[in-house]
Amino acid sequence: MRIHLALVVATAISLAGLQTTLPDNRVELVATPNGGIQPQAVIDAAGTIHLLYFKGEAGSGDLFYVRRRARDAEFSAPLRVNSEAGTAIAAGSVRGGQIALGRNGWIHVGWNGSRAIERDGAKLTPMWYARLAPGGRTFEPQRPIGTQTKHLDGGGAVAADRNGRVHIVWHAAGLEEGEPNRRIYVATSADDGGRFAPEKAFAMDGGACGCCGLETLVDGKARLQILYRAAGAMKHRDAMWLTVGPQGASTAVRLQPWELPACPMTTFAMTAT
């Protein structure tokens, strides 16, 4: 399996469209339906496009899911993902919803919350999760995942595999204050998102850039692949590639060094072939 990586510097403009490749290698430019923005698309083995998009106020909006089968002319009627209205956010390009396809057609969505909720006596911004059962007509009620979400800002992603494992990944403050001490957290489910184990923290050289996004997928060897941007001593914003094995062992590779004493609000894209 080959992993393909792309580095993208985010701008203040959200693209309201997605690009797909047809079976005969023609490229089709498709507008996001219903005036949605920040589209996230995945395609299943049958050629069906599964699309997630945002609508509403940037600081308090909603996520919607549609699908379009191969050769269909139109997308399906939209389903709202978040059961609590206004709990999604689209301020910047790094905080929007992410979608993944799981076993037997499960649809998994994760996103940064738009406002704090009270948990264990503290008010913290949650990392939300919701799923759609195969053939389902409504998403299950959204759930906050994990407890270590202090200073959750740019970055939350979801990955799933054909064996029923689902990973929710985000970065947030560690035990010590400061971006160089931020950690990546991973909460994993072994039953298609029914229940999640307590999150695990991964300590990295350089922490994580607080307002930069991250990207994740599960490869053919059941390894979790994570792209993120470091924030070493507030001077370095290196692009990093973290691999987490099935037993939890991790290795990190520096893809691109970058000296920059500021937050660049970057995003990542990754796909496996």
Side-chain angles (χ1 to χ4, degrees):
M1 173 177 286
R2 295 176 179 175
I3 305 293
H4 300 273
L5 311 175
L7 246 61
V8 180
V9 176
T11 69
I13 299 173
S14 296
L15 298 180
L18 64 142
Q19 188 170 287
T20 61
T21 302
L22 302 179
D24 57 6
N25 292 324
R26 289 185 296 113
V27 174
E28 178 185 7
L29 185 63
V30 182
T32 306
N34 309 311
I37 64 170
Q38 295 188 347
Q40 298 289 321
V42 289
I43 302 177
D44 64 23
T48 298
I49 300 170
H50 302 266
L51 178 65
L52 179 74
Y53 62 86
F54 178 93
K55 286 201 70 175
E57 296 295 327
S60 180
D62 301 301
L63 294 170
F64 292 90
Y65 164 80
V66 293
R67 65 168 63 96
R68 197 185 81 172
R69 294 177 300 179
R71 301 301 180 184
D72 278 357
E74 303 292 339
F75 282 97
S76 63
L79 299 179
R80 197 176 80 181
V81 177
N82 48 305
S83 53
E84 299 178 30
T87 51
I89 189 170
S93 300
V94 298
R95 304 178 184 99
Q98 300 289 326
I99 185 172
L101 297 179
R103 176 172 60 179
N104 299 328
W106 280 95
I107 305 296
H108 306 281
V109 178
W111 71 96
N112 286 37
S114 62
R115 52 183 176 265
I117 61 173
E118 187 166 341
R119 304 187 70 191
D120 299 325
K123 283 197 171 185
L124 297 173
T125 301
M127 184 68 201
W128 290 114
Y129 166 77
R131 63 177 184 168
L132 177 68
R137 296 185 177 182
T138 59
F139 276 79
E140 294 180 359
Q142 66 192 70
R143 289 177 274 155
I145 302 298
T147 58
Q148 301 299 316
T149 60
K150 183 179 180 181
H151 300 325
L152 180 72
D153 184 13
V158 57
D161 65 21
R162 57 191 174 187
N163 298 314
R165 287 186 292 270
V166 183
H167 306 277
I168 305 297
V169 185
W170 68 95
H171 57 72
L175 297 179
E176 299 179 50
E177 291 293 329
E179 280 193 317
N181 299 309
R182 287 179 73 87
R183 297 292 178 257
I184 288 178
Y185 295 93
V186 179
T188 299
S189 167
D191 60 355
D192 301 297
R195 294 167 296 177
F196 283 87
E199 68 267 40
K200 294 182 179 180
F202 292 88
M204 309 85 61
D205 181 18
C209 174
C211 63
C212 291
L214 57 75
E215 175 74 350
T216 184
L217 60 75
V218 179
D219 67 19
K221 296 182 179 180
R223 299 173 301 188
L224 184 65
Q225 306 286 354
I226 303 171
L227 297 179
Y228 71 95
R229 190 166 294 284
M234 296 299 292
K235 295 180 181 180
H236 297 278
R237 301 288 168 164
D238 300 347
M240 303 294 295
W241 182 2
L242 178 68
T243 299
V244 182
Q247 305 305 318
S250 64
T251 58
V253 174
R254 181 171 283 101
L255 296 177
Q256 176 216 22
W258 190 9
E259 289 192 17
L260 181 71
C263 183
M265 293 193 71
T266 57
T267 59
F268 291 96
M270 175 168 51
T271 186
T273 61

